[in-house]
Amino acid sequence: MTTTDADLYYDPYDFEIDADPYPVWKRLRDERPLYHNERYDFFALSRFDAVERCLVDWRTYVSSRGTVLELIKSGMDIPPGSIIFEDPPTHDLHRGLLSRVFTPRKMAAIEPKVREFCARCLDPLVGAGGFDFIHDLGAQMPMRTIGMLLGIPEQDQEAIRDRIDEGLRLADGTMPDVTARDRQEADGSAFAEYIAWRAEHPADDLMTELLRAEFEDATGTRRRLTHEEVLGYVNLLAAAGNETTTRLIGWTGKVLADHPDQRRRLVEDRSLVPGAIEELLRYESPSPVQARYVTRDVEHHGETVPAGSTLLLLNASGNRDERKFPDGDRFDIHRRIDHHLAFGYGIHFCLGAALARLEGRVALDEVLQRFPTWEVDAERAVQARTSTVRGWESLPVVTG
């Protein structure tokens, strides 16, 4: 059952599959709910319930070996300080620190600024006949928002965002070569000078808050974070705060162009926007695949996944699973959703989910206010190719 059928193949690096993975994922759910890829030697689960259970069981499916297939397969030592690559108890300590910067009160307080960023992006485009959902909005507003929260000067934000994007991009449709040296070079230099400067010149931003935060570490010692630890957090926040929200905004443009009747309802009733964002997150999850290292032999669908295996949790497939969401391949802004897996589940549920929801909601509201209709310029649209996020590199639209 776990052998790969000649006509049923999935891997996260294949550009042709990534262009539209849903037919393959549906077949996996129906025919091979536990799938084994022989080329890269990984297992994959695709049904909602199975993915959700594994995301909760952090003892069996650990994150400390990496949460991306190529990281786990490289065998590299994961640098400390990134909560997405940690397990309890270290994860709980560090998550507790970061949770201080994403409180509901703080998120509500920044909404006027997010609207201002959107207006700055969109106002010059009114009457221009079109714009690009990525270049003109999706790559701009999230960058400015997370840069403002961290305390990165606006004139430097774009270069940092471009460096993050380049580090994620796949050169071809095969597994990239990942080394600790490459990772450290990519992550180590972008923010070090800002952190050193902020330590001497505190301000009302997250970087200062992290530098001042006191906590009790795993040894029971009460201390502050080292500059290296702060650097790890800032890198994580900058990457996560830019990339996935950019993809969400791109999918907003694409999916609502494909469903003009539902877009019209949003124009007529803006109270439907928050629910539409939840359905967009379910329907086109920006972070569709999570990887875990398996610590013990486990059974799924009557078969054994051996200890030491790499398991892909296809959360975006789970979000289309008809067993959880009836008619899951249909986009419906009126769909009632108790919860989806776009932000993960369990202890690694995305810390920035409230911020991403806020940015997605505000961006859609501001776009609809200025552009009630648009069509995608399909000939010029370019899909991004990474192994961790899925969406658009460029999504030009023609406005009415």
Side-chain angles (χ1 to χ4, degrees):
M1 285 285 288
T2 57
T3 57
T4 306
D5 287 351
D7 68 335
L8 181 53
Y9 178 78
Y10 170 72
D11 81 60
Y13 309 111
D14 187 297
F15 290 174
E16 187 175 342
I17 294 173
D18 186 60
D20 181 12
Y22 297 106
V24 173
W25 286 344
K26 178 171 175 51
R27 286 195 62 193
L28 291 180
R29 293 194 301 271
D30 293 344
E31 301 172 33
R32 291 286 183 269
L34 176 66
Y35 171 80
H36 182 244
N37 177 293
E38 295 180 349
R39 179 180 183 184
Y40 295 120
D41 188 23
F42 68 80
F43 292 86
L45 292 170
S46 49
R47 293 182 182 175
F48 184 97
D49 288 347
V51 172
E52 184 181 62
R53 283 197 304 271
C54 293
L55 287 171
V56 170
D57 185 1
W58 56 265
R59 291 180 177 87
T60 304
Y61 310 98
V62 300
S63 300
S64 52
R65 300 286 191 101
T67 60
V68 182
L69 176 59
E70 60 263 29
L71 280 180
I72 298 176
K73 287 298 183 181
S74 75
M76 63 177 274
D77 292 329
I78 305 296
S82 179
I83 61 170
I84 61 173
F85 299 146
E86 291 179 337
D87 302 306
T90 310
H91 168 271
D92 297 346
L93 287 171
H94 292 164
R95 187 179 177 93
L97 276 172
L98 282 183
S99 66
R100 303 178 191 179
V101 306
F102 287 110
T103 63
R105 179 183 61 83
K106 288 180 179 176
M107 294 302 98
I110 69 167
E111 180 167 337
K113 198 68 179 175
V114 175
R115 286 196 182 275
E116 178 190 319
F117 290 149
C118 284
R120 197 193 306 179
C121 293
L122 295 173
D123 281 347
L125 304 170
V126 174
F131 67 97
D132 192 309
F133 261 87
I134 301 300
H135 295 309
D136 295 322
L137 180 61
Q140 299 298 323
M141 181 269 283
M143 171 192 69
R144 288 174 175 157
T145 300
I146 199 67
M148 172 193 70
L149 288 169
L150 287 170
I152 302 298
E154 194 160 313
Q155 65 270 19
D156 298 336
Q157 291 169 8
E158 192 162 336
I160 290 170
R161 182 206 64 211
D162 290 347
R163 190 182 307 185
I164 292 168
D165 287 350
E166 185 59 35
L168 293 171
R169 189 171 289 119
L170 289 175
D172 56 39
T174 61
M175 180 187 287
D177 181 27
V178 179
T179 66
R181 179 186 58 81
D182 289 341
R183 182 172 178 81
Q184 288 166 352
E185 284 181 1
D187 289 356
S189 59
F191 299 105
E193 291 181 10
Y194 297 118
I195 293 169
W197 167 261
R198 192 56 77 212
E200 300 296 325
H201 304 85
D204 183 20
D205 57 39
L206 300 189
M207 208 178 296
T208 299
E209 196 159 336
L210 288 171
L211 284 163
R212 288 178 166 178
E214 292 189 359
F215 71 107
E216 190 172 294
D217 66 18
T219 69
T221 304
R222 187 151 190 87
R223 65 179 180 88
R224 291 184 175 181
L225 293 168
T226 66
H227 280 218
E228 289 72 24
E229 289 171 323
V230 174
L231 179 60
Y233 287 142
V234 170
N235 272 302
L236 171 66
L237 292 170
N242 269 301
E243 191 66 25
T244 52
T245 308
T246 297
R247 304 306 166 205
L248 170 60
I249 292 171
W251 283 121
T252 299
K254 178 65 168 64
V255 174
L256 290 178
D258 292 343
H259 298 83
D261 55 330
Q262 300 197 56
R263 181 180 59 196
R264 185 168 56 252
R265 287 178 221 158
L266 293 170
V267 172
E268 295 166 353
D269 184 358
R270 221 60 70 75
S271 71
L272 298 173
V273 165
I277 293 299
E278 291 307 305
E279 176 68 344
L280 281 159
L281 286 162
R282 180 200 72 83
Y283 187 76
E284 290 287 9
S285 303
S287 178
V289 179
Q290 317 304 317
R292 295 291 189 269
Y293 179 85
V294 182
T295 61
R296 62 181 179 86
D297 288 1
V298 287
E299 187 174 297
H300 288 283
H301 304 287
E303 300 175 58
T304 299
V305 176
S309 297
T310 302
L311 181 67
L312 294 193
L313 303 175
L314 308 181
N315 53 298
S317 170
N319 281 340
R320 296 278 191 106
D321 188 354
E322 300 83 356
R323 298 158 189 82
K324 173 68 177 178
F325 301 104
D327 202 5
D329 284 328
R330 179 173 59 88
F331 178 73
D332 180 6
I333 61 172
H334 299 289
R335 186 186 296 272
R336 298 181 68 85
I337 301 173
D338 57 358
H339 73 281
H340 52 66
L341 303 176
F343 293 118
Y345 202 66
I347 66 169
H348 284 286
F349 182 82
C350 176
L351 265 173
L355 177 59
R357 285 178 163 126
L358 166 67
E359 290 179 298
R361 173 174 57 80
V362 170
L364 176 54
D365 194 39
E366 295 292 320
V367 167
L368 293 173
Q369 210 172 91
R370 295 163 177 81
F371 309 101
T373 64
W374 63 84
E375 293 182 2
V376 173
D377 183 350
E379 290 188 1
R380 296 196 298 126
V382 179
Q383 200 167 343
R385 299 300 181 201
T386 84
S387 64
T388 55
V389 292
R390 182 172 173 273
W392 297 91
E393 189 172 299
S394 175
L395 192 79
V397 299
V398 178
T399 54

